[in-house]
Amino acid sequence: MLTELTLCKENGETLVVNDAVVTVTQEKHIVRTTLVGLNGTIKEYICNGDYDISISVGIVAVDSNGQIVDEYPKEGIRKIREFLDENKAVDVTSVFLSIFGIGRMVVTRFSLKQETASNRQTIEVRALSDEDYVIKSTEY
């Protein structure tokens, strides 16, 4: 099932993407210690890592009435690129991502491969989850 994805920049500008397939991966940070005479290692859980987000976005050319047309979707690509080029976190909303508590992401890279279909372009996006944090010190 395709996931509707809403992107929102810090200035409030939003973009709804109707054709997105999302993959979420998380790595746990574990310290492994080897001891002489022990088969295997001792594992010490440190913390969960960021979520690694992969999104395959399909951009289709449409006219002003929202009807699919047979032309290259340059306007749709331009719009999504404005969000992908952000050098800050972008708010993201989708039912799928909300299951993992992901509401913001930082785009790390994206790629496009020219396709033979004249009115559709796929964009592969890689991002990391992001959240607010506060660093507290007890040394004053």
Side-chain angles (χ1 to χ4, degrees):
M1 181 171 168
L2 298 176
T3 302
E4 184 175 272
L5 197 66
T6 303
L7 304 173
C8 183
K9 289 197 247 179
E10 197 174 79
N11 66 6
E13 185 181 347
T14 62
L15 176 66
V16 177
V17 178
N18 295 316
D19 182 353
V21 178
V22 181
T23 302
V24 173
T25 307
Q26 184 179 44
E27 184 176 331
K28 294 181 180 244
H29 296 286
I30 308 288
V31 173
R32 298 184 327 177
T33 305
T34 304
L35 294 178
V36 175
L38 179 67
N39 291 331
T41 60
I42 297 173
K43 287 97 180 152
E44 180 183 1
Y45 168 80
I46 302 298
C47 66
N48 288 337
D50 294 328
Y51 286 104
D52 185 5
I53 305 165
S54 298
I55 308 169
S56 183
V57 178
I59 305 294
V60 178
V62 294
D63 62 16
S64 59
N65 297 323
Q67 298 296 314
I68 295 174
V69 294
D70 191 23
E71 59 184 56
Y72 191 70
K74 60 185 175 198
E75 184 59 27
I77 293 169
R78 186 194 61 74
K79 285 180 184 177
I80 196 166
R81 187 168 172 209
E82 289 176 10
F83 287 82
L84 300 177
D85 282 343
E86 280 288 296
N87 289 328
K88 327 176 170 180
V90 175
D91 290 334
V92 62
T93 307
S94 85
V95 173
F96 183 75
L97 291 175
S98 69
I99 293 169
F100 300 95
I102 299 171
R104 195 166 58 191
M105 66 181 192
V106 175
V107 175
T108 57
R109 68 181 172 188
F110 61 93
S111 64
L112 293 83
K113 179 180 178 182
Q114 188 175 11
E115 298 179 9
T116 57
S118 63
N119 68 339
R120 187 174 192 282
Q121 176 67 56
T122 302
I123 303 173
E124 300 296 332
V125 179
R126 293 292 302 267
L128 294 172
S129 62
D130 190 39
E131 57 185 59
D132 289 328
Y133 58 89
V134 176
I135 298 174
K136 295 180 181 180
S137 174
T138 58
E139 299 177 21
Y140 291 99

